[in-house]
Amino acid sequence: MSQWAAQIIAEQVREKPESVLGLATGSTPAGMYEQLVRMYEEGKVDFSGVRTANLDEYAGLSGSHPQSFRYFMDTHFFGQVNIKKDNIHFPKSTEGDFGAIAEEYEAQLRRLGSADIQVLGIGGNGHIGFNEPSDHFTEAVNVAELTGETIRANARFFTSPEEVPREAVTMGIKNVMSAKKIILLANGSGKRDIIRKMVYGDITPALPASILRLHGDCTVIVDKEAGQDLKEVE
């Protein structure tokens, strides 16, 4: 799964060295970044012209905090390849007016332009980025209040659930859908039910990832456990 996703990204960068990559964090894409680092070390891909924009960041965590998404990206990818620091885009994560931080990141994304590829994971409740189930699809970068389910799912990365931030700055659904190509990754039996609902259920903001079925170029890559309810199409 990770190798396939990495190959798609590497081919994009080779064809367009100044590509804009929308990136995600978490345990699911970690293997993809490992593969991309290996390709870079073998001289198979050059990231010097690539520009990136990350999906989201916890509100209130500095980029040096071990559980911040910026720290994850620096550790697993940015710090191991030749991407230029000025080409990395992230929501600011310091304390302050998070609404203003979201507006600033939205302006950065507009200047950057649509992502050539947007990488996504999927939450157990169907969220993409930190766009939680709702009665509407979000548009611009926003400050999301995390649900109890998301907090519990992410608590494994912290000492206790109380340490998990309650808010995050995240790209909106419209930001995600503006990408030219989307790759969604999911693995493990814990994602089996939500993948089935995303693919076969109603398109609804109650399951944010369901809107990806309306995108013109979306590839869902799953392992056998996550995809065991999917049917083969001839």
Side-chain angles (χ1 to χ4, degrees), residues 162-190:
E162 289 70 32
E163 292 185 7
V164 182
R166 266 45 184 175
E167 293 181 317
V169 177
T170 181
M171 287 187 193
I173 297 295
K174 186 175 180 179
N175 300 121
V176 171
M177 292 292 284
S178 71
K180 298 169 186 174
K181 181 178 181 62
I182 293 174
I183 301 172
L184 183 141
L185 305 173
N187 66 308
S189 58

Tab-separated table of all heavy atoms in Angstrom, residues 162-190:
chain	number	residue	atom	x	y	z
A	162	GLU	N	-6.384	13.672	28.232
A	162	GLU	CA	-6.500	15.076	28.621
A	162	GLU	C	-5.482	15.964	27.906
A	162	GLU	O	-5.687	17.171	27.772
A	162	GLU	CB	-6.331	15.218	30.137
A	162	GLU	CG	-7.489	14.675	30.961
A	162	GLU	CD	-7.566	13.145	30.924
A	162	GLU	OE1	-6.502	12.505	30.822
A	162	GLU	OE2	-8.688	12.609	30.993
A	163	GLU	N	-4.387	15.371	27.438
A	163	GLU	CA	-3.353	16.146	26.760
A	163	GLU	C	-3.656	16.395	25.287
A	163	GLU	O	-3.015	17.223	24.655
A	163	GLU	CB	-1.999	15.432	26.884
A	163	GLU	CG	-1.443	15.406	28.291
A	163	GLU	CD	-0.048	14.791	28.333
A	163	GLU	OE1	0.513	14.525	27.257
A	163	GLU	OE2	0.460	14.588	29.439
A	164	VAL	N	-4.621	15.675	24.734
A	164	VAL	CA	-4.948	15.844	23.316
A	164	VAL	C	-5.621	17.200	23.119
A	164	VAL	O	-6.602	17.512	23.797
A	164	VAL	CB	-5.893	14.734	22.821
A	164	VAL	CG1	-6.173	14.909	21.333
A	164	VAL	CG2	-5.303	13.360	23.105
A	165	PRO	N	-5.120	18.036	22.207
A	165	PRO	CA	-5.782	19.312	21.945
A	165	PRO	C	-7.241	19.098	21.530
A	165	PRO	O	-7.579	18.088	20.902
A	165	PRO	CB	-4.963	19.910	20.792
A	165	PRO	CG	-3.611	19.296	20.956
A	165	PRO	CD	-3.882	17.897	21.434
A	166	ARG	N	-8.079	20.049	21.883
A	166	ARG	CA	-9.509	19.937	21.572
A	166	ARG	C	-9.880	20.596	20.249
A	166	ARG	O	-11.016	20.452	19.792
A	166	ARG	CB	-10.329	20.565	22.701
A	166	ARG	CG	-10.816	19.589	23.782
A	166	ARG	CD	-9.763	18.618	24.256
A	166	ARG	NE	-10.315	17.652	25.215
A	166	ARG	CZ	-9.640	16.634	25.712
A	166	ARG	NH1	-8.377	16.416	25.356
A	166	ARG	NH2	-10.212	15.801	26.570
A	167	GLU	N	-8.945	21.313	19.649
A	167	GLU	CA	-9.202	21.973	18.381
A	167	GLU	C	-8.026	21.759	17.429
A	167	GLU	O	-6.916	21.445	17.855
A	167	GLU	CB	-9.417	23.478	18.580
A	167	GLU	CG	-10.685	23.849	19.339
A	167	GLU	CD	-10.844	25.346	19.474
A	167	GLU	OE1	-9.826	26.017	19.763
A	167	GLU	OE2	-11.969	25.857	19.302
A	168	ALA	N	-8.294	21.948	16.149
A	168	ALA	CA	-7.246	21.867	15.137
A	168	ALA	C	-7.577	22.828	14.010
A	168	ALA	O	-8.747	23.106	13.740
A	168	ALA	CB	-7.119	20.447	14.591
A	169	VAL	N	-6.532	23.349	13.371
A	169	VAL	CA	-6.707	24.154	12.164
A	169	VAL	C	-6.593	23.188	10.989
A	169	VAL	O	-5.605	22.460	10.870
A	169	VAL	CB	-5.645	25.257	12.070
A	169	VAL	CG1	-5.808	26.040	10.767
A	169	VAL	CG2	-5.742	26.201	13.272
A	170	THR	N	-7.598	23.163	10.125
A	170	THR	CA	-7.645	22.154	9.062
A	170	THR	C	-8.109	22.743	7.739
A	170	THR	O	-8.919	23.675	7.711
A	170	THR	CB	-8.588	20.996	9.454
A	170	THR	OG1	-8.606	20.013	8.417
A	170	THR	CG2	-10.014	21.480	9.698
A	171	MET	N	-7.599	22.212	6.647
A	171	MET	CA	-8.170	22.531	5.349
A	171	MET	C	-9.644	22.154	5.357
A	171	MET	O	-10.044	21.170	6.004
A	171	MET	CB	-7.488	21.726	4.233
A	171	MET	CG	-6.091	22.149	3.875
A	171	MET	SD	-5.566	21.200	2.404
A	171	MET	CE	-3.802	21.546	2.402
A	172	GLY	N	-10.457	22.904	4.616
A	172	GLY	CA	-11.857	22.548	4.458
A	172	GLY	C	-12.042	21.536	3.343
A	172	GLY	O	-11.122	21.240	2.581
A	173	ILE	N	-13.256	21.035	3.242
A	173	ILE	CA	-13.566	20.051	2.200
A	173	ILE	C	-13.348	20.643	0.808
A	173	ILE	O	-12.834	19.976	-0.099
A	173	ILE	CB	-15.014	19.551	2.343
A	173	ILE	CG1	-15.211	18.823	3.680
A	173	ILE	CG2	-15.385	18.646	1.172
A	173	ILE	CD1	-14.418	17.543	3.817
A	174	LYS	N	-13.710	21.906	0.621
A	174	LYS	CA	-13.523	22.535	-0.685
A	174	LYS	C	-12.041	22.605	-1.037
A	174	LYS	O	-11.668	22.397	-2.196
A	174	LYS	CB	-14.137	23.932	-0.702
A	174	LYS	CG	-14.115	24.586	-2.078
A	174	LYS	CD	-14.843	25.914	-2.065
A	174	LYS	CE	-14.827	26.570	-3.446
A	174	LYS	NZ	-15.553	27.862	-3.453
A	175	ASN	N	-11.183	22.902	-0.041
A	175	ASN	CA	-9.744	22.901	-0.287
A	175	ASN	C	-9.289	21.539	-0.779
A	175	ASN	O	-8.528	21.427	-1.747
A	175	ASN	CB	-8.967	23.250	0.989
A	175	ASN	CG	-9.287	24.610	1.565
A	175	ASN	OD1	-9.727	24.696	2.710
A	175	ASN	ND2	-9.077	25.664	0.807
A	176	VAL	N	-9.744	20.492	-0.109
A	176	VAL	CA	-9.354	19.123	-0.475
A	176	VAL	C	-9.840	18.786	-1.881
A	176	VAL	O	-9.089	18.256	-2.713
A	176	VAL	CB	-9.923	18.121	0.548
A	176	VAL	CG1	-9.726	16.686	0.063
A	176	VAL	CG2	-9.267	18.319	1.914
A	177	MET	N	-11.096	19.105	-2.157
A	177	MET	CA	-11.700	18.733	-3.442
A	177	MET	C	-11.120	19.519	-4.612
A	177	MET	O	-11.312	19.140	-5.770
A	177	MET	CB	-13.214	18.920	-3.371
A	177	MET	CG	-13.918	17.946	-2.436
A	177	MET	SD	-13.879	16.234	-3.029
A	177	MET	CE	-15.143	16.317	-4.322
A	178	SER	N	-10.414	20.608	-4.331
A	178	SER	CA	-9.810	21.394	-5.416
A	178	SER	C	-8.551	20.744	-5.970
A	178	SER	O	-8.043	21.149	-7.014
A	178	SER	CB	-9.482	22.806	-4.929
A	178	SER	OG	-8.388	22.800	-4.025
A	179	ALA	N	-8.028	19.718	-5.283
A	179	ALA	CA	-6.825	19.023	-5.762
A	179	ALA	C	-7.110	18.338	-7.094
A	179	ALA	O	-8.219	17.859	-7.351
A	179	ALA	CB	-6.366	17.991	-4.734
A	180	LYS	N	-6.081	18.279	-7.941
A	180	LYS	CA	-6.248	17.640	-9.247
A	180	LYS	C	-6.374	16.127	-9.120
A	180	LYS	O	-7.058	15.482	-9.909
A	180	LYS	CB	-5.067	18.012	-10.143
A	180	LYS	CG	-4.970	19.516	-10.409
A	180	LYS	CD	-3.657	19.897	-11.062
A	180	LYS	CE	-3.530	21.406	-11.174
A	180	LYS	NZ	-2.198	21.819	-11.674
A	181	LYS	N	-5.690	15.559	-8.138
A	181	LYS	CA	-5.764	14.120	-7.879
A	181	LYS	C	-5.754	13.911	-6.375
A	181	LYS	O	-5.066	14.648	-5.652
A	181	LYS	CB	-4.585	13.383	-8.518
A	181	LYS	CG	-4.613	11.861	-8.291
A	181	LYS	CD	-3.445	11.171	-8.985
A	181	LYS	CE	-3.498	9.671	-8.786
A	181	LYS	NZ	-4.711	9.041	-9.356
A	182	ILE	N	-6.498	12.945	-5.900
A	182	ILE	CA	-6.555	12.612	-4.478
A	182	ILE	C	-6.189	11.149	-4.286
A	182	ILE	O	-6.613	10.280	-5.058
A	182	ILE	CB	-7.963	12.882	-3.902
A	182	ILE	CG1	-8.271	14.390	-3.910
A	182	ILE	CG2	-8.090	12.319	-2.490
A	182	ILE	CD1	-9.691	14.726	-3.489
A	183	ILE	N	-5.373	10.886	-3.263
A	183	ILE	CA	-5.075	9.517	-2.843
A	183	ILE	C	-5.519	9.378	-1.397
A	183	ILE	O	-5.078	10.139	-0.533
A	183	ILE	CB	-3.565	9.206	-2.927
A	183	ILE	CG1	-3.030	9.383	-4.349
A	183	ILE	CG2	-3.290	7.789	-2.435
A	183	ILE	CD1	-1.522	9.262	-4.429
A	184	LEU	N	-6.393	8.435	-1.119
A	184	LEU	CA	-6.805	8.162	0.258
A	184	LEU	C	-6.257	6.809	0.677
A	184	LEU	O	-6.422	5.823	-0.041
A	184	LEU	CB	-8.330	8.187	0.394
A	184	LEU	CG	-8.841	7.992	1.826
A	184	LEU	CD1	-10.052	8.888	2.110
A	184	LEU	CD2	-9.214	6.531	2.119
A	185	LEU	N	-5.612	6.767	1.828
A	185	LEU	CA	-5.002	5.544	2.350
A	185	LEU	C	-5.746	5.077	3.601
A	185	LEU	O	-6.102	5.887	4.456
A	185	LEU	CB	-3.535	5.789	2.709
A	185	LEU	CG	-2.625	6.360	1.617
A	185	LEU	CD1	-1.260	6.684	2.199
A	185	LEU	CD2	-2.505	5.384	0.468
A	186	ALA	N	-5.961	3.778	3.702
A	186	ALA	CA	-6.580	3.218	4.905
A	186	ALA	C	-6.084	1.793	5.092
A	186	ALA	O	-5.962	1.038	4.126
A	186	ALA	CB	-8.100	3.230	4.789
A	187	ASN	N	-5.801	1.444	6.333
A	187	ASN	CA	-5.350	0.075	6.605
A	187	ASN	C	-5.874	-0.406	7.948
A	187	ASN	O	-6.191	0.379	8.832
A	187	ASN	CB	-3.826	-0.028	6.554
A	187	ASN	CG	-3.155	0.759	7.656
A	187	ASN	OD1	-3.434	1.942	7.839
A	187	ASN	ND2	-2.267	0.126	8.388
A	188	GLY	N	-5.973	-1.697	8.055
A	188	GLY	CA	-6.400	-2.312	9.306
A	188	GLY	C	-7.900	-2.557	9.366
A	188	GLY	O	-8.700	-1.858	8.747
A	189	SER	N	-8.287	-3.570	10.131
A	189	SER	CA	-9.698	-3.949	10.244
A	189	SER	C	-10.534	-2.855	10.893
A	189	SER	O	-11.752	-2.800	10.698
A	189	SER	CB	-9.826	-5.250	11.040
A	189	SER	OG	-9.253	-5.105	12.333
A	190	GLY	N	-9.883	-1.961	11.664
A	190	GLY	CA	-10.616	-0.874	12.294
A	190	GLY	C	-11.197	0.114	11.296
A	190	GLY	O	-12.118	0.877	11.641
